[in-house]
Amino acid sequence: MNKTDRAARGCDNGRRFFLKGTAAMGTLGALGALGSGPCGLLRPAQAAPLKGGGYAGGYAVHRQVCPRNCYDTCMMLSHVKDGRVEFVEGDTACTFTGGGLCVKGNSYVGSAYSPDRIKYPMEQQGRGTGKWKRLSWDEAIDKIARKIVECKQKDGSLLGVGLNRLSGHQGVTPNVADGMFASMGYITRLVGTPCWPAGIDAQSYDMGKMLADDPEEMPESRYVILWGGNPAYCSIHSMKYVYAARERGAKILCIDPVFTQTAAKADEYWQIRTGTDGALALGMCRHILDKGLADQSWLAANASGYDEFVAYLRDNVTVEWASKETGIPEDKIRAVAEEFATAKPATIWMGYGLQRHTNGGATIRSIDTLCAMTGNIGVTGGGARYGSLLNYVFTGAHGAFQPPSGSVGVQTTAPDGSVKNARRTLNINKMAEMLLTADNPPVRLLWVTGCNPVSQIFDHQKMLKALARMEMTVVVDLFFNQTVEQADIVLPVTTLFEEWNANAGYWHRWVGINEKAIEPLHEAKCQVDIAKLLTARLNQLSPGFSTFPADADPRTLLMAECGQAMKDHFGIASMEDLLKAPAKAGKPGPAWSDGKYLTPSGRYEFKSDICARNGFNALPVYVPGRKPFGPLRVLTPHAKFGLHSQFINLEWMEDFNPEPIVYIHPETAAARSIRDGDMVEVKARTGATRLRARLTGNMPRDHILLYEAWFRNNTYNCQNLVDEESADMGEWKTGAPGVAIHDQFADVARV
Ligand SMILES: Nc1nc2c(c(=O)[nH]1)N[C@H]1C(S)=C(S)[C@@H](COP(=O)(O)OP(=O)(O)OC[C@H]3O[C@@H](n4cnc5c(=O)[nH]c(N)nc54)[C@H](O)[C@@H]3O)O[C@H]1N2
Ligand SMILES: Nc1nc2c(c(=O)[nH]1)N[C@H]1C(S)=C(S)[C@@H](COP(=O)(O)OP(=O)(O)OC[C@H]3O[C@@H](n4cnc5c(=O)[nH]c(N)nc54)[C@H](O)[C@@H]3O)O[C@H]1N2
Ligand SMILES: [Mo]
């Protein structure tokens, strides 16, 4: 945004955060190519480390936990002086975080004090105009409350009110948005998640639940396949365990269509044909069967439906076929199948990118099968690792998961006696289509919080049309993002330093508390206080409208979230214990080591009747991918120095990400007379986007790659190239199927 825009939005003159990197950043090898240039915000030189711990200079130390949607869910410490956060660091009390933070985490102080933050409630004088008028909180809340009451009067229900939240703000406290609306009655809720749902269903068919082995036990593995994930970007703290396994003799194989930074760190890399991974896994299973390498004692103790699976393999799968489908040579498939089956224990980490396909759930089931057949489930150093819901029932929502029924969460019964679940639900992954077609009543008022659908949800042009249909859109956020551009009212929200929260891992097993370290900046309010204001105004306008606790104190509410189940799970006496140190759940050891699977048979189900009942094959069969509808496949995966639409918009992050880039193979570019650095247009069925080309042999010839991201000085939006096509699975456990984000096709031309 330029200076005039800044003034219009109540921003100060831009002050650039520019602190030099220090050794503290380089603790993880995976950080790789940082160089010596300006990077995040780090400890100032005068804060010298003291012998007994802490730093000179009299800082007040507070526990924080990163609320981003990320594998690593880092435990952090903030250092405050004179009411200002001066620097943050990783908490050594959590062995997973191990005292290190990623570049994004190190930049938190800069993001909280960014001049670009939304500072006051504001109203836009015409959507998309960028002309913002400051409102008082009372004025803003009054306008919204009147609209909610109007919806109820017009429709006789609150179904015209839509709640859109996703993963921008994770943990217990963000559940307050559900509680606030559930306290009024039935509303319309966007459900599901674009993130990991196909894989969740797949693992739930096979084992009854998605649980992952503790990443801190990965060094016990003798063989590690990193399959369709990029932890060197997306889970940098896990890389130390991958390296530790290798130091102890494990081989690391990476399977990805793109030669990623993770691939660069592996011993062997396979450039697979995208969307054919199921065939590869099944081809390996067939070879293991033929060689007599299946783990018979594991199968006898754990498996159900194995004979049917074997019959399927014999009738339908050969290594020659798998090689033709995937592009991986037969001898390599055979060699690795044998190595993997005999390495004991061996593990596979399946990334979320792997299942963002029309056959994504089927792929995850096939790879689970490879782990099961080789006896690598329930053993330390083994594991079909994907994600873990071990902690989630206790600590909050991610996408569509129900929050706990505590005080911060949901009043389970609304004033009219309705139950919170009995509301209208719309598939978040088809949000544009859903909002365009929802009727009787239409969604009139959309409340967006912890979510940036204009950047993150699909078919951008359709999304703009859908939002134009709203009578009022309210966004609760930190920055003037692309969804705020389409809104009528913005409400400024607090950062992690300014609020109470608790968050737990969906990959590792830790939970931590997030203390309020400073008073809210500007006129920002935490979501509990926003809920209180709205409740009070609604009840003034229409007595008894909402049962949300009007006197709710954020800290008290959070502390009350710790019920007996959570105490038992994390071995804590109360939430207050977490003020002393983060806690780790459960006993050491792998998932499923007790052999008690949560499936109907109580065993690992090679054949799942529930899967069949839900419309898929009972066996983990191969399902071919989406048919190409353009010359080049478009991948839009996750960036290293950004997290979805967060961080890349920050001024100092522009040193790493100055502008959007499309990566193209040199031969593909040459055929289109595109040179490195040229401006190009990528054109798909759903839309087009212009950006700079970078040529690299790391790409397959028939693919292009653009990172999902939001640049504050650029209209770039990768969702112009991504349609709303669903993945196969996901509806069972999350309320909506996943999305085929990586089954997209386009062409590129010089402009
Ligand atoms: N093309 C493509 N699209 C994708 C993906 C992809 O790989 N490719 N990945 C998908 C995946 S895996 C995911 S999980 C989704 C993520 O989609 P989102 O969850 O929507 O993404 P974020 O950008 O992390 O966060 C959204 C907003 O939350 C705001 N926010 C941060 N902190 C707070 C807070 O404390 N309170 C409030 N109210 N707001 C806050 C941020 O400023 C940001 O504007 O995107 C999906 N979209
Ligand atoms: N730095 C950073 N960290 C993050 C995030 C972020 O945005 N930035 N996002 C967080 C979130 S919400 C998520 S969901 C995770 C995502 O974590 P990951 O799943 O590790 O990351 P993605 O970038 O979604 O996809 C990983 C890889 O999948 C590959 N892929 C796509 N299709 C196929 C296929 O058919 N076969 C194979 N073998 N590979 C395929 C892509 O080429 C890509 O390299 O990371 C979390 N951590
Ligand atoms: Mo995600």
Side-chain angles (χ1 to χ4, degrees), residues 442-458:
V443 176
R444 302 179 190 280
L445 174 121
L446 186 67
W447 179 283
V448 183
T449 183
C451 185
N452 183 4
V454 176
S455 291
Q456 296 309 124
I457 303 295
F458 315 100

Side-chain angles (χ1 to χ4, degrees), residues 65 70-75 94 96-97 212-216 235 237-238 241 387-388 390-392 503-512 570 583-585:
V65 51
C70 176
Y71 287 101
D72 289 10
T73 312
C74 283
M75 306 299 151
C94 166
F96 183 86
T97 304
D213 288 19
D214 186 347
E216 297 183 64
S235 182
H237 292 81
S238 294
Y241 304 113
S388 179
L390 184 74
N391 290 337
Y392 258 54
N503 197 11
Y506 59 76
W507 176 242
H508 63 62
R509 297 186 174 177
W510 291 85
V511 65
F570 287 111
K584 189 174 178 183

Side-chain angles (χ1 to χ4, degrees), residues 667-696:
E667 286 175 22
T668 311
R672 292 161 175 77
S673 307
I674 296 169
R675 288 157 313 188
D676 193 64
D678 281 351
M679 285 303 287
V680 295
E681 183 173 72
V682 183
K683 213 168 175 182
R685 289 201 301 217
T686 40
T689 186
R690 283 184 181 207
L691 70 179
R692 201 171 297 285
R694 186 104 306 143
L695 310 193
T696 167

Side-chain angles (χ1 to χ4, degrees), residues 67-69 165-170 174 193-196 352 356 398 448-453 455-458 476-479 481 491 493-496 499 527 636-638 643-646 706 708 710 718-719 722 741-742:
R68 300 287 79 82
N69 177 1
R165 66 175 282 227
L166 189 54
S167 70
H169 183 209
Q170 299 252 98
T193 158
C195 188
W196 54 351
Y352 303 135
R356 296 192 186 118
H398 170 190
V448 183
T449 183
C451 185
N452 183 4
S455 291
Q456 296 309 124
I457 303 295
F458 315 100
V476 183
D477 209 295
L478 298 161
F479 293 98
N481 64 30
L491 301 177
V493 79
T494 42
T495 65
L496 74 167
E499 66 181 20
Q527 291 203 54
T636 51
H638 297 200
L643 189 132
H644 309 301
S645 65
Q646 304 197 57
L706 318 80
E708 45 142 23
W710 167 50
C718 73
Q719 313 299 4
V722 183
I741 294 177
H742 298 309

Side-chain angles (χ1 to χ4, degrees), residues 413-435:
T413 313
D416 60 359
S418 62
V419 182
K420 70 178 159 98
N421 292 330
R423 62 203 161 194
R424 179 166 62 173
T425 58
L426 305 176
N427 176 352
I428 199 170
N429 294 324
K430 292 185 187 290
M431 179 169 158
E433 180 68 23
M434 294 286 144
L435 291 182

